[in-house]
Amino acid sequence: MQIELTINGKLKSLEIHPGESLLETLRKNGYTGVKYGCGTGDCGACVVLLNEKPVNSCQVLTAAVDGESVTTVEGIGTMDKPHPIQEELVKAGAVQCGYCTPGVVLSAYALLQTNPHPTEDEIKTALDGHLCRCTGYVKIIEGVKNAAEKV
Ligand code: FES
Ligand code: FES
């Protein structure tokens, strides 16, 4: 079936299978910043923004979001032009293997859009769906806190 999605501000017409997840659709169309972790909604590696709100894309049927708007990490910043959240996560040492990072960046971005000066508890709540096997979370929280000063 054919659907349309606005991805990172660009309207795309995509051919999908009816049972395909948004995670699968995005990755097969080149948005490989979206990561497959668990496939069961438990790790946050696949988080994207759907109409500006973080969702686990492995749990979203693409057919159900026809016509909607999606933001992936590719729409937030690039290697040449990183977003301040990405810069501050790197500076804080919060990017080790990096597998959790795209999802964390998107959840932090959504948080700072609605709450530019979050408390530590608010940052923890915004990121509580993200598993990170490397950093122990302290550095991630520090990076988001520092980014909040700049965004
Ligand atoms: S891959 Fe979607 S939550 Fe883990
Ligand atoms: S940096 Fe490796 S899982 Fe988070």
Side-chain angles (χ1 to χ4, degrees):
M1 64 185 284
Q2 197 78 18
I3 61 141
E4 287 190 341
L5 285 178
T6 300
I7 305 176
N8 300 333
K10 293 195 181 126
L11 186 63
K12 302 275 179 178
S13 186
L14 304 169
E15 182 64 36
I16 63 157
H17 298 294
E20 187 171 301
S21 72
L22 184 58
L23 167 65
E24 292 171 294
T25 304
L26 290 168
R27 287 191 58 85
K28 81 178 186 189
N29 283 284
Y31 300 94
T32 52
V34 187
K35 301 300 184 210
Y36 179 93
C38 62
T40 53
D42 295 308
C43 75
C46 66
V47 161
V48 298
L49 305 185
L50 179 63
N51 304 323
E52 298 175 20
K53 298 219 166 62
V55 295
N56 288 323
S57 61
C58 70
Q59 300 298 295
V60 175
L61 273 181
T62 308
V65 296
D66 187 9
E68 298 191 24
S69 173
V70 176
T71 306
T72 70
V73 75
E74 289 89 347
I76 300 288
T78 63
M79 290 295 278
D80 293 340
K81 234 183 146 191
H83 188 276
I85 295 169
Q86 293 169 308
E87 289 177 330
E88 292 303 324
L89 287 173
V90 169
K91 275 195 214 157
V95 181
Q96 293 186 25
C97 81
Y99 205 80
C100 69
T101 308
V104 167
V105 167
L106 287 160
S107 287
Y109 180 87
L111 171 67
L112 298 184
Q113 289 293 104
T114 54
N115 180 1
H117 304 292
T119 63
E120 187 163 322
D121 280 349
E122 287 169 334
I123 296 172
K124 285 182 183 168
T125 300
L127 300 182
D128 72 357
H130 294 273
L131 298 184
C132 175
R133 290 156 49 120
C134 309
T135 66
Y137 305 102
V138 173
K139 291 164 191 290
I140 293 178
I141 291 158
E142 185 188 320
V144 174
K145 229 189 261 172
N146 293 341
E149 316 270 314
K150 292 175 127 195
V151 176

